[in-house]
Amino acid sequence: MQFEYQSLNANEIRLLRPRPQAQGLLSYDIIPSSLVSKPNYVALSYTWGAPGSVQPILLNGRQFRIRRNLCDALQQIQSARLVRSYLWVDAICINQGESQDALSERSEQITLMTQIYEQAANVLVWLGNPENDANNRLAFLILKNFERDYSKVIIKDRPYRPWWWPNKPQTAGADMARFLQTVSPSRMQKALNVSESQMLEGLRGIEALWNSPWWTRTWVFQESTIPEPYTRIFIRGVTILPRSAKVRFLYGDQETRWSEISLTCSVATSPSLPGFHFSERGQQSVNRLMQLRSQRIQNILRSFLDILQIFRCTECLDPRDKVYAPLCLASEDVRQYIRPNYATKTVLDVYMDVVKWSLAQRGHELDFLGLAVHQEEAQEVQTPQGVKSNIPSWVPNFAHSLVVIPIPKIRHVPTNRHRHVTLYDRRGVPSNKEFLTAVYCPLGVVPSTSFIKDCALHTRGVFVDYVKDQIPTLGLDVETIRASGYKKGREWAMQSKHKYFTGESFSDAIQRTNVLDLTFDEQGRPSERGGKADTAFLRTPRPDLSVEEFRRQMNMRNARSTAYTLRTLGLSRKLYLLLIPNTAKMDDTVWALTGGQTLYVLRPVNQSKTRYSFVGECYAHGLMDGEILRWTQSGAAGFEDVVLG
């Protein structure tokens, strides 16, 4: 007989209690349990795997079919005796059927996801079975070696001192820079007592671990970034480190934790291992998860849009999950405004809920436009049930998995840089307080009048200029882009007579535009205005840099990467330097819109130029700090109605 689900009460979940195998099958009792009673259980995070490959298990003595990858995970958990009480697995503990009752239950259970994983005693992450067991074992030896070496760096740089001893505060960024300077292939071979070929095989094992499909799935982001239940503090050399980890990663029969993975990822993104290059896709996936984990631990998830941005490049079967999964990490006001509804809402309905919520955020009404990416073809998406939706150009299409980095809206300004005693949080990051302020303000505090009517966004704005020229990037190799950039840069400088309208030289204006006129801190966040991209400094080899210079170089690289993700350098007819979307075209228009904290590129869709298609956000050097508002006050420009379709 097949297993049948019974309905759940409010705040109830189902838990699995392992039983001895029966008929050669994994066997469990499945029982309802209230989260209010705080049951002791372990939660599993995994990918569902291919739908065609299924295996039977027993639930309450009745057959229940699960996919092969989940069966592999349960087999490893049982053989390693990792669960002695109860286990929670979404594919089994939540009714995944297509009936109205199943859809309603799924909508309700999603609202409990954060609580389910936070209350779990442990979270086991199943990355799958490796293709090469020998490489996998070597890979995990390298992971553990990196953590040992990092601990040695901390101990050496933080000897015990009395509280009154003069000491310069240390930061996690400085620790990491010193650690990376100690990493070399020869040291690794000596420490691990392996040959050069074995070390390369171990590094390939690490790359295989990062290429697991688990890292790209939507729901794992909130499952695996649960803050660890310990406190990590450094006070003048005194270090308290965790003895255990709540989140444990399983890859075959090997096990690791976040601290080892994050250190290895830092090594991979630095020039510490010449001759071996990790794939960018794997690095980016791990980095996004680490970024989210860091923000959750420090409680600095500032906006629901920030969370959506991190989830944007993940993969899922139902496009609505790109919004519903991040809801687990959102504030209460967002969860009250956007409620999961798989039964009646289309993909457009769900994405439009995000836009409506954003329009209600005073001072940040148009921030959602930073997540909208222009597509030449119609943006059609559909639910697993086949209900189709067409997404307007100005509505973020979260179903399109892209690495999207909006132009920064907030600066993190430290208020106590010169403290003599520095406290660190659970991740080892300084807990210094910060002052948050807007990065740009093109139209000052002019209130927004934006509203939605007939799937069009109606707003008001000030026309700035037309796009005249740009450096092409789409479909070109790096050398071609670089050559084109040098050529156009010289042409533009000659057109402006090597002087920018702000009074600075044209070359300085380009250097500042290349990093959005921002300086980034060691946590990858904008902290100060006035940043420049020093090309010669960026090309300086690591051995020629001091620790402080190496940190500054990494921060500058981060600033430039933020500026040029899906963007390119452009020039307007009035010779304004622009950073525009790489999908922009000649004669596209640049606007400042009320409620927006940056500028925007719009493309006219009719001859009268009363309706526009949204192209993307834009930075115009020298026009981001109220200059456009002063145009309107002097009568040089005026506000116009703008309709985005």
Side-chain angles (χ1 to χ4, degrees), residues 262-273:
S262 60
L263 280 172
T264 307
C265 198
S266 297
V267 173
T269 54
S270 72
S272 301
L273 298 174

Side-chain angles (χ1 to χ4, degrees), residues 16 28 41-48 66 69-75 77 82-83 86-92 113 116-117 120 122-127 214 219-220 223-224 248 250:
L16 303 176
Y28 300 90
Y41 62 93
V42 173
L44 179 65
S45 178
Y46 65 103
T47 60
W48 281 31
I66 60 175
N69 188 55
L70 175 55
C71 188
D72 290 342
L74 296 178
Q75 291 279 11
I77 289 171
L82 298 176
V83 174
Y86 294 99
L87 178 66
W88 186 89
V89 183
D90 61 351
I92 303 174
M113 282 293 192
I116 289 172
Y117 280 92
N122 285 106
V123 176
L124 299 179
V125 173
W126 174 249
L127 299 175
W214 179 88
W219 283 102
V220 307
E223 298 168 358
S224 62
R248 298 153 67 185
L250 309 176

